[in-house]
Amino acid sequence: MRPFARGENPKRELWLMWFAVLAFYQLYTVVFFVLTRTQPPGSPSYTAAEVPGWFASHHDGLLVGLALIFVLGGLSATSIALITYTIRRMSVSRAFAYSYLILYSVSAVPGFLFICVALTAGAMRPERDPRLQQWLYDLGFLSFSGTMGVFLVGSLVWMAAILLDRNRVFPKWFGYLNLCNAVTEVVVAPAWIFDRGVFAWNGLIAWWINVVVFGIYTGVFINLLRNVIIREDFGTGPLPDLPPRRARRHTAAAEVA
Amino acid sequence: MLSASNKRLFAAWIVLSAITAAYLWIDHSADDHGTPVASTSATVGAIVLALVKVRIIMREFMEVRHAPRLLCRLTDLWVVLMAAGMLGMYFAGKAVA
Amino acid sequence: MTTTQAPPTEAAKARRVPGQPDMWVLVLVESLIFTSYFGVYLFYRAQHEAAFLQEQAHLDLWLGIVDTIVLLTSSWSVARCVQNARAGRYPAAVRDACVTAALGLLFLALKIAEWAGHITAGHTLTSGEFFTHYFFLTVIHAVHLLIGLVVVGIVVRQLADPRRRDQQVVETCATYWHTVDFLWVLIFALLYVAR
């Protein structure tokens, strides 16, 4: 453990990042599922005549919710930074951390920015030609659901790093869970072909099952990032084990003080 | 000792292949003079036989037989879960139809 | 966890998880994900039995049985590979792993031939609900099989080099291969036999 100046607590900075990650995913869920009701996605089988109705019924939510994302979406960088930090803490080559960082630095665009721009553009002028509205609607949802390659390869890079790592930063089972998540990202691909049924962008297989897997995966990795921060010793060797629950509450209290 | 476990693997493979061949009989008996007809018993039979094979693969090939009891029970529970999931959805679909 | 009669060392030897216990997370999660795909397929199949049967008639049951036996044999081979490696018979273990990979490739070749046959006959991903599920399940399984070929490659590389040999890695990889095998056993029953 490298020496720190008195009063300096490097973990405080990591905790700041971790709470930002937590805040981002809460925001993401609230905006997409509650405020804008863009998730679960609208039906891909809507005709040009039906799409303006969808925009009308979602108008206020879209403008308010997506404005929040435009203001605070940058918070997504914290989770990428924290994960890259943990890969740097592993015994593996830094190339893994760089790959992850570069891959995910473009993830915000397919991950949420594109759908936000397309749907706010649709909500801005409800009187626009319905066929153009339908185009924006398709563009929005397809850019969101149909662009999983970044996350697929990102998951695989993270998996490879975890499985090769000798510093025990993440448990190996989480490496395997990354593979499960990566494979479900493949399953969204048929959303480009089908406009109804279980493989469409709101389908049972292409959307519902994936969201459940992704939700569990996200919950698990946020929890594991927390464990890594608790275990971090700022050294280079294997990370120490998680201290028993009781001792942990003690050190947490000491850190706050 | 080793040849015994080798024999056991061979026996497992024979049983698995025999069950696979038994599907021919299910398929044949479910046909109505050569034309395939919907059959609940054939579907349920196919699923149950497949799960029996899954359990044999887990027990023998994946060596769950020698694993701690927890893993034995967990894999058995999973076979039951898979059966419940598949048959449940199948009969739910029938009920809807 | 251990039996009371046997001495602790014996019991520990008798009851241990093959390979990394962590791999079982993948086995259990993947089987649940696949069960959900199967459930969706069966749910829609039960509702449109006639349409599914009509399309299903274009499948060749014999081909499905050959596929299944090929994969079962590959699984048997990788199980022997684990036992040979455990007994220190590395050349035999490498041979078993190579047989596994060859059978995996044979399975893939049979699948590609089958897909090509269906596509040229006009049965594609979008031609009907049954074929949508057929192509989805077989392709997603083939993706798992391709990963499996990489995994068996790791086994061969480990066993061929005396400095790398690690029984735990061999067993972990074998567990993955068996998972690919038993998922196919289920897919075969559901696509080729279910009525």
Side-chain angles (χ1 to χ4, degrees):
Chain A
M1 189 166 173
R2 70 182 160 88
F4 295 111
R6 258 179 73 188
E8 185 190 350
N9 180 3
K11 281 203 184 176
R12 206 179 288 161
E13 294 158 14
L14 290 177
W15 283 122
L16 189 65
M17 283 286 146
W18 187 79
F19 279 106
V21 173
L22 203 61
F24 170 73
Y25 278 103
Q26 307 274 10
L27 174 80
Y28 194 90
T29 313
V30 168
V31 165
F32 283 101
F33 283 81
V34 183
L35 270 179
T36 61
R37 287 176 291 127
T38 45
Q39 299 292 326
S43 168
S45 59
Y46 278 167
T47 60
E50 289 167 301
V51 168
W54 183 89
F55 273 114
S57 65
H58 290 69
H59 181 266
D60 296 345
L62 283 178
L63 290 184
V64 174
L66 300 185
L68 269 175
I69 291 284
F70 288 134
V71 175
L72 294 169
L75 274 176
S76 66
T78 54
S79 88
I80 299 152
L82 203 53
I83 292 168
T84 309
Y85 176 92
T86 59
I87 300 179
R88 282 284 309 270
R89 183 65 183 77
M90 295 178 189
S91 65
V92 297
S93 161
R94 287 181 187 178
F96 286 95
Y98 299 148
S99 310
Y100 192 89
L101 189 61
I102 294 165
L103 262 172
Y104 272 80
S105 57
V106 298
S107 72
V109 177
F112 56 87
L113 279 181
F114 217 114
I115 184 177
C116 294
V117 172
L119 294 184
T120 25
M124 184 190 170
R125 295 187 206 280
E127 72 286 357
R128 195 186 278 123
D129 178 359
R131 286 175 57 206
L132 287 178
Q133 291 291 77
Q134 189 189 25
W135 185 77
L136 284 170
Y137 180 81
D138 283 352
L139 187 67
F141 283 116
L142 272 177
S143 70
F144 187 80
S145 301
T147 50
M148 293 299 173
V150 171
F151 306 99
L152 165 73
V153 179
S155 271
L156 291 179
V157 169
W158 200 7
M159 174 200 77
I162 293 168
L163 294 183
L164 293 170
D165 170 40
R166 291 181 192 284
N167 286 354
R168 307 186 307 136
V169 174
F170 285 100
K172 300 289 180 220
W173 60 260
F174 180 65
Y176 297 122
L177 195 64
N178 264 293
L179 186 62
C180 298
N181 181 59
V183 173
T184 60
E185 308 276 15
V186 181
V187 171
V188 202
W192 292 96
I193 303 169
F194 295 96
D195 63 3
R196 62 191 70 231
V198 292
F199 296 103
W201 74 51
N202 67 342
L204 214 47
I205 286 180
W207 195 82
W208 289 94
I209 293 174
N210 278 6
V211 158
V212 171
V213 174
F214 182 74
I216 293 169
Y217 171 75
T218 308
V220 165
F221 85 63
I222 290 179
N223 226 343
L224 288 175
L225 284 173
R226 177 172 155 270
N227 288 357
V228 171
I229 297 176
I230 294 171
R231 293 161 60 205
E232 172 65 303
D233 61 353
F234 301 100
T236 49
L239 268 192
D241 281 331
L242 208 57
R245 227 158 240 286
R246 253 207 175 154
R248 227 188 303 165
R249 212 171 292 142
H250 239 79
T251 39
E255 270 168 26
V256 170
Chain B
M1 167 69 198
L2 236 144
S3 70
S5 62
N6 235 333
K7 264 182 208 154
R8 206 176 156 113
L9 283 184
F10 179 62
W13 179 79
I14 290 284
V15 171
L16 288 168
S17 301
I19 298 176
T20 307
Y23 278 119
L24 275 174
W25 174 78
I26 290 190
D27 189 69
H28 191 73
S29 61
D31 281 0
D32 180 27
H33 302 289
T35 44
V37 286
S39 156
T40 305
S41 55
T43 307
V44 173
I47 292 171
V48 170
L49 273 187
L51 286 166
V52 168
K53 281 163 77 181
V54 168
R55 189 166 184 274
I56 295 175
I57 292 172
M58 283 176 164
R59 284 272 149 167
E60 303 296 328
F61 286 173
M62 297 169 101
E63 301 186 338
V64 170
R65 207 159 53 90
H66 299 301
R69 297 251 155 72
L70 177 67
L71 191 61
C72 297
R73 296 218 183 98
L74 207 58
T75 48
D76 284 349
L77 173 70
W78 241 248
V79 171
V80 172
L81 271 181
M82 286 156 96
M86 284 190 265
L87 295 176
M89 288 297 271
Y90 177 65
F91 286 112
K94 288 222 143 204
V96 170
Chain C
M1 206 170 105
T2 51
T3 48
T4 43
Q5 284 93 349
T9 46
E10 276 268 307
K13 204 177 131 202
R15 297 223 159 257
R16 50 167 219 94
V17 179
Q20 284 174 2
D22 304 64
M23 177 47 94
W24 283 91
V25 170
L26 180 131
V27 176
L28 299 180
V29 172
E30 277 299 291
S31 11
L32 276 192
I33 294 175
F34 267 87
T35 304
S36 63
Y37 297 154
F38 300 153
V40 171
Y41 160 77
L42 285 166
F43 183 69
Y44 285 98
R45 174 171 189 120
Q47 290 177 56
H48 311 104
E49 279 179 328
F52 272 76
L53 273 174
Q54 198 199 343
E55 288 182 67
Q56 191 186 20
H58 298 290
L59 252 54
D60 186 353
L61 178 66
W62 273 103
L63 204 52
I65 287 183
V66 171
D67 284 345
T68 311
I69 303 239
V70 165
L71 263 201
L72 285 173
T73 313
S74 77
S75 232
W76 176 32
S77 181
V78 88
R80 271 181 303 154
C81 167
V82 166
Q83 293 200 349
N84 278 329
R86 196 176 288 144
R89 291 190 296 266
Y90 293 108
V94 170
R95 191 201 59 214
D96 289 334
C98 289
V99 168
T100 304
L103 289 169
L105 283 171
L106 175 64
F107 177 88
L108 209 57
L110 287 169
K111 270 267 108 1
I112 290 170
E114 195 183 343
W115 291 331
H118 288 312
I119 290 169
T120 47
H123 308 300
T124 60
L125 183 68
T126 49
S127 68
E129 225 182 320
F130 174 80
F131 271 102
T132 302
H133 283 281
Y134 164 82
F135 277 105
F136 168 68
L137 289 173
T138 50
V139 168
I140 198 78
H141 178 263
V143 169
H144 284 76
L145 190 93
L146 284 174
I147 300 169
L149 288 173
V150 175
V151 165
V152 173
I154 294 172
V155 173
V156 172
R157 186 166 163 272
Q158 287 255 336
L159 290 175
D161 185 347
R163 288 164 305 169
R164 284 187 203 280
R165 281 169 192 161
D166 183 345
Q167 183 64 21
Q168 198 192 32
V169 172
V170 173
E171 289 174 6
T172 309
C173 292
T175 303
Y176 179 85
W177 189 267
H178 294 307
T179 308
V180 174
D181 179 34
F182 81 64
L183 289 175
W184 172 258
V185 163
L186 291 165
I187 293 173
F188 163 71
L190 292 174
L191 288 181
Y192 292 77
V193 192
R195 288 308 170 88

